[in-house]
Amino acid sequence: MKKHTIAIVSILTLLITSCMASKENKSAASIYDTTWELEYISGPRIAFEGLYPNKKPQITFDQKEKNVFGNNGCNGYSAPFTLNGNSLTFGEPGPTTMMFCDGGGEAQFLQQMKKITSYSIDKDGKLNLIQGDVPMMRFKKAAK
């Protein structure tokens, strides 16, 4: 009887652990294969539309290259990233073409990226980039 109880407990433990692991992988997989468009940024005292009068920043995660790329509201950028569970950090953005940008949103976006420590995807499918426990940027899936 004791052996049966141990066997049943072991099987249940394996099932629960595998379900939790697949849930984490599904969450990480959902940031890939999508272009995300910024809809909120914390910090600046300028209205969102004033920061990005012509174009909203976008971010795309390249799983194979461990790189993100996109547009910061004016110029293109790319940067390495490290993802471990929900922990997320970005490296320094690489060189970009430098056009003059109205609104000052470009600098704000790049500064916020350096501070990110994790991410989450909320019930509405929005990507939240988080510093500590405070959501600093929120993205929606970009229209194709």
Side-chain angles (χ1 to χ4, degrees), residues 17-80:
T17 330
S18 67
C19 288
M20 290 172 64
S22 68
K23 189 174 184 179
E24 287 175 13
N25 291 340
K26 190 182 287 185
S27 176
S30 63
I31 67 170
Y32 301 114
D33 302 322
T34 300
T35 297
W36 299 93
E37 182 177 271
L38 186 69
E39 64 177 20
Y40 166 80
I41 189 164
S42 177
R45 296 186 178 175
I46 301 170
F48 185 78
E49 296 302 324
L51 284 171
Y52 308 105
N54 302 318
K55 188 175 195 178
K56 294 179 183 150
Q58 292 186 335
I59 189 170
T60 303
F61 290 81
D62 184 333
Q63 185 175 14
K64 182 180 175 190
E65 299 295 325
K66 298 289 186 215
N67 209 25
V68 292
F69 60 91
N71 187 290
N72 55 29
C74 181
N75 292 297
Y77 71 92
S78 68

Side-chain angles (χ1 to χ4, degrees), residues 48-119:
F48 185 78
E49 296 302 324
L51 284 171
Y52 308 105
N54 302 318
K55 188 175 195 178
K56 294 179 183 150
Q58 292 186 335
I59 189 170
T60 303
F61 290 81
D62 184 333
Q63 185 175 14
K64 182 180 175 190
E65 299 295 325
K66 298 289 186 215
N67 209 25
V68 292
F69 60 91
N71 187 290
N72 55 29
C74 181
N75 292 297
Y77 71 92
S78 68
F81 72 90
T82 303
L83 181 64
N84 186 5
N86 283 354
S87 175
L88 173 66
T89 56
F90 296 100
E92 284 294 319
T96 64
T97 349
M98 295 302 288
M99 295 183 344
F100 173 75
C101 307
D102 291 330
E106 176 182 38
Q108 186 68 36
F109 180 78
L110 294 174
Q111 286 172 1
Q112 289 291 1
M113 279 186 70
K114 293 178 190 176
K115 299 176 184 177
I116 298 305
T117 58
S118 64
Y119 83 97

Side-chain angles (χ1 to χ4, degrees), residues 1-9:
M1 180 71 171
K2 195 174 190 180
K3 289 182 182 180
H4 291 299
T5 305
I6 292 173
I8 290 172
V9 169

